[in-house]
Amino acid sequence: METRGWSSVHFGFVVCGYLAFFCAEFFPVAEAGCRERMSPNCCSGRNNDCYESSRRKTVCYCDTYCQKTGDCCEDYRGVCQISVAIDCVVGSWGAWSLCTSKCGVGSTERSRQVSVPPRNGGAPCPDLRQRRGCYGNAAVCSAAKEVAKILPDSFKRNFKDPWRRPHMMIKEEKASYCVYLRVKQASSACKLKLWSAQLVRERLICAECQSDAMSKSDRCEGDGLKNIRTFWAAASAPGCQGSWVRESSSEHCRCPPYSVLYV
């Protein structure tokens, strides 16, 4: 009659099971490592193919990106000779620059420098430059709002009027000066007159300021500002108007024929 209880075979299976359990607990199987990878052991940047699998079917990586995701193999630093990741460090913002436009809408910017560059997969640097809008309102802006009134140089007066008072004769003795301006815009009405048809885009025009047109400051109104767009209007050509930019000027000067005069 067969006896009840465990046989020697059953007892052997149980013992082996316990031994396997204790061995796994106290002597774990080595995790995956970069050293076991086929060459290359380590990879730069982000490379999803740069991994190793352990006997427990876990996956770890040997690329630089694993420092950010936290899934590097245990021997990553030793095998790949990688030091601790260093994040970028930047300094304080500098002062805002001057507005790019002395008069009207422009822009201004500021910058900062990198104190510590990122290394070993550290966080990249933030923006090093900022820009914002501004509105220039310098002291010269009042002159920029002046509109020059011009006529063709055929309106020059070289004769002396006998009916003028002595103080008016003295005024005529002021030396004229020339202003060279680059036309930036001209209306279509300027094409209707022969003299104003020359006022076309990007043409350099000589405008002469004679004594009769000078104000108390010994300058003609609307004679322009260097590198700033100002406006003009033709006095004898209705609707003819536009803008120009002053490039240079010359004292004690007379403009060549077919130029314009300030009124």
Side-chain angles (χ1 to χ4, degrees), residues 23 25 36 68 72 101 113 122 135-136 139 141 156 215 232 260:
C23 288
E25 287 295 322
E36 284 74 30
K68 293 183 178 180
C72 298
S101 175
Q113 302 297 323
Y135 190 86
C141 292
K156 290 181 179 178
S215 60
W232 54 267
V260 297

Side-chain angles (χ1 to χ4, degrees), residues 151-164:
L151 286 171
D153 63 350
S154 58
F155 279 80
K156 290 181 179 178
R157 296 289 183 264
N158 294 323
F159 66 90
K160 293 184 179 181
D161 189 346
W163 297 102
R164 289 199 174 185

